[in-house]
Amino acid sequence: MDYSLIINGAKRPTAAYADVPNPSTGALVGKMPLGTPKDLDDAVAAAAAAFKTWSVTPDAERKAACHAIAAKIEAHAEELAKLITAEQGKQLNGLGSRFEVGGTVAWTHATADLELPVAVLQDNEQGRIELHRKPIGVIGSITPWNWPMLIGSWHLIPAVRTGNTVVIKPSPYTPLSTLRMVELMNEVLPPGVVNVVSGSDSLGAAMSSHPGIQKMVFTGSISTGKKIMASSAPTLKRLTLELGGNDAGIVLPDADPKAIAPGLFWGAFINGGQTCAALKRLYVHDSLYDQVCNALVDFAKTVPMGDGMDETVQLGPIQNEMQFNRVCELVEDAKQHGGRILCGGARTGTTGYFYPITFIADVKEGVRLVDEEQFGPVLPIIRYTDVDSIIERANDNPHGLGGSVWSSDAAKAKQLAQRLECGTAWVNKHGGIQPNAPFGGIKLSGIGVEFSDEGLKEYTVSQTVYC
Ligand code: NAD
């Protein structure tokens, strides 16, 4: 299949293309069109022109268009799932690419049904004051490679639902599913409402300084988020930044190791750990430390890893070489600092970026694997003895995306979870998100939220009307 930029509803040929390899096999999945600064300018101009009519299109029509997009994606679900597996690596089954496409459909319907009605602030003999929500203009969206389609839809659908128009730039590692998704969206939407320009990182930098874009929504690393914030400053763009995490999970002495092992495992290793709000540091009380370690290692043995196209596989490879090398480096560093490998700990095979599920015991803060985001199938398990100081230790980290507490006493766990410095806290689970609940990071993990009416508001400016 040929993949193309989509500008003003039409496919735009490019002079150059880059190969997109399959991370499981190295085989060519497709060719990414390399957009130029001129393509970006044209996409922004198309979005600005479309904004004039889309912003005043009746709300019911925009809602219906979003539902129609969901139906269109659902009708192509298997094709899209296989494309995601081929370019991203995650498996088709379980919490893999079919789950990603299904989530995109469900989220799109749920976002279509959100409303931002006019709020009446005052209505009396002194007068009436209304608060209206209006679209912002052209939105620039930049997405990462871990959940390319789902995260793309999280940017596009609320923007379109509220009357904005968009230029999206997918990650150069996983551009194809977004190019195809936008092509399908353009079968529903008027030309120019959603445009896609793929290419190198420099296109992203050009977007965040582009004078024709009024807001940036970005999901990716903290370092890139800082650059986007800096280059957005001269044009004072609105920003939503969903950045990296280093979520702590805390297992209290009264937890049941066997019962919590599956939840801990998938909290850490959904998408092979390449998930922003995955559990990335596990603190376990000394009294059940060995039992939790053993239960996790036993559970890991039941989870097959391999080429995601294989229907029996539950975990795929790391997505790209850069990330693979980073994971190897962090594991070696942990070993050198006294880390004890419970399972995994070295590359398997020579084809693809497969790294086995790895648990590392006897490390603590000060070791890079604990302090930094690993973004791969490796979990440090940290022993603690003092329950009173454990929240403080977990909070002593610049990230603030998610966190969890695990205990047989849910009320006690909830109290502690609320003291974690993070945007989302879970009790006896980790990483679950829903379209009706805001999600976002604090500290270096981001600015703003997505999902629910709180997330929808971020695609609007307010207008107070005295009438
Ligand atoms: P990345 O920051 O390397 O790249 C993300 C996107 O930014 C890509 O499209 C890339 O081309 C673009 N980009 C690179 N340099 C740029 C620049 N100077 N200006 C503008 N755009 C630029 O991130 P990644 O490696 O693709 O994704 C992994 C990171 O994303 C992890 O840290 C993860 O935690 C984070 N993430 C966060 C969330 C969240 O919701 N908080 C969700 C998923 C991923």
Side-chain angles (χ1 to χ4, degrees):
M1 175 158 191
D2 289 339
Y3 298 92
S4 176
L5 311 185
I6 309 274
I7 297 174
N8 204 25
K11 292 190 172 192
R12 160 84 59 106
T14 51
Y17 291 81
D19 290 351
V20 178
N22 180 323
S24 289
T25 63
L28 180 72
V29 181
K31 298 263 187 192
M32 169 177 71
L34 288 172
T36 62
K38 165 83 168 75
D39 293 322
L40 176 62
D41 286 345
D42 290 349
V44 172
F51 181 74
K52 290 196 173 85
T53 43
W54 189 246
S55 59
V56 293
T57 296
D59 193 61
E61 275 181 43
R62 295 198 300 240
K63 176 192 273 214
C66 291
H67 282 304
I69 288 169
K72 187 62 91 175
I73 292 170
E74 193 166 22
H76 291 81
E78 191 61 9
E79 172 206 337
L80 289 163
K82 288 195 166 133
L83 181 55
I84 292 170
T85 292
E87 71 170 350
Q88 203 282 333
K90 71 184 59 159
Q91 76 285 355
L92 286 168
N93 278 325
L95 299 170
S97 58
R98 289 183 183 129
F99 169 80
E100 177 162 359
V101 177
T104 303
V105 172
W107 238 276
T108 299
H109 279 306
T111 307
D113 283 334
L114 292 173
E115 307 279 355
L116 291 178
V118 172
V120 178
L121 306 180
Q122 179 184 302
D123 191 14
N124 57 22
E125 57 282 3
Q126 271 86 47
R128 182 177 166 95
I129 309 174
E130 297 175 350
L131 184 65
H132 293 243
R133 291 272 162 193
K134 303 173 77 169
I136 299 170
V138 178
I139 310 291
S141 148
I142 301 178
T143 51
W145 48 259
N146 56 345
W147 295 90
M149 202 175 123
L150 188 59
I151 292 176
S153 74
W154 290 345
H155 292 189
L156 293 170
I157 301 302
V160 165
R161 173 73 189 85
T162 43
N164 302 281
T165 55
V166 193
V167 178
I168 184 171
K169 190 207 80 65
S171 166
Y173 291 112
T174 53
L176 306 179
S177 49
T178 304
L179 291 163
R180 181 70 180 126
M181 176 171 68
V182 172
E183 186 181 355
L184 292 170
M185 285 181 173
N186 271 273
E187 292 177 12
V188 170
L189 294 168
V193 173
V194 174
N195 308 271
V196 57
V197 181
S198 54
S200 67
D201 291 351
S202 62
L203 269 181
M207 283 174 82
S208 50
S209 59
H210 201 292
I213 293 178
Q214 281 78 47
K215 173 189 167 93
M216 293 299 300
V217 51
F218 170 72
T219 304
S221 64
I222 292 170
S223 60
T224 305
K226 288 178 182 175
K227 288 181 197 158
I228 288 175
M229 193 167 186
S231 56
S232 294
T235 45
L236 223 59
K237 289 179 178 44
R238 268 89 182 139
L239 291 171
T240 300
L241 302 176
E242 296 286 3
L243 308 178
N246 192 1
D247 293 9
I250 298 170
V251 178
L252 298 182
D254 66 356
D256 175 346
K258 279 216 169 71
I260 63 174
L264 287 173
F265 183 91
W266 288 116
F269 296 127
I270 179 171
N271 202 23
Q274 301 162 106
T275 298
C276 53
L279 202 173
K280 293 177 180 143
R281 300 174 277 156
L282 182 62
Y283 291 86
V284 181
H285 192 264
D286 182 49
S287 60
L288 70 175
Y289 188 83
D290 292 337
Q291 292 171 66
V292 170
C293 289
N294 291 339
L296 283 170
V297 170
D298 285 348
F299 191 83
K301 289 179 192 148
T302 69
V303 180
M305 180 183 281
D307 184 334
M309 291 296 182
D310 178 338
E311 297 278 351
T312 63
V313 157
Q314 290 296 318
L315 280 177
I318 293 176
Q319 203 280 326
N320 59 68
E321 187 179 11
M322 175 204 65
Q323 190 59 32
F324 182 86
N325 290 339
R326 176 172 165 77
V327 167
C328 295
E329 186 184 311
L330 289 177
V331 171
E332 287 313 311
D333 181 76
K335 282 187 203 167
Q336 280 170 21
H337 287 86
R340 178 165 53 95
I341 304 287
L342 300 177
C343 63
R347 164 175 216 164
T348 41
T350 49
T351 309
Y353 302 121
F354 289 100
Y355 199 92
I357 290 298
T358 299
F359 292 107
I360 304 191
D362 301 340
V363 280
K364 59 180 186 209
E365 300 90 340
V367 176
R368 286 182 63 202
L369 182 63
V370 176
D371 293 349
E372 299 177 22
E373 179 183 43
Q374 65 274 50
F375 220 60
V378 178
L379 186 68
I381 309 181
I382 306 145
R383 192 189 299 264
Y384 76 90
T385 47
D386 180 16
V387 179
D388 290 336
S389 64
I390 194 58
I391 294 288
E392 212 172 301
R393 278 175 72 181
N395 284 341
D396 188 17
N397 189 281
H399 299 83
L401 197 55
S404 57
V405 179
W406 304 70
S407 165
S408 299
D409 180 345
K412 184 171 70 184
K414 181 183 163 198
Q415 272 188 347
L416 288 175
Q418 285 176 267
R419 288 173 49 204
L420 286 169
E421 292 171 356
C422 54
T424 303
W426 292 276
V427 171
N428 290 330
K429 50 172 106 74
H430 197 114
I433 48 173
Q434 298 190 180
N436 60 347
F439 173 77
I442 61 170
K443 295 161 63 172
L444 289 189
S445 290
I447 292 179
V449 293
E450 297 185 281
F451 317 153
S452 79
D453 52 349
E454 293 296 315
L456 204 61
K457 281 181 194 163
E458 299 216 3
Y459 290 88
T460 66
V461 283
S462 69
Q463 185 180 48
T464 308
V465 181
Y466 289 74
C467 48

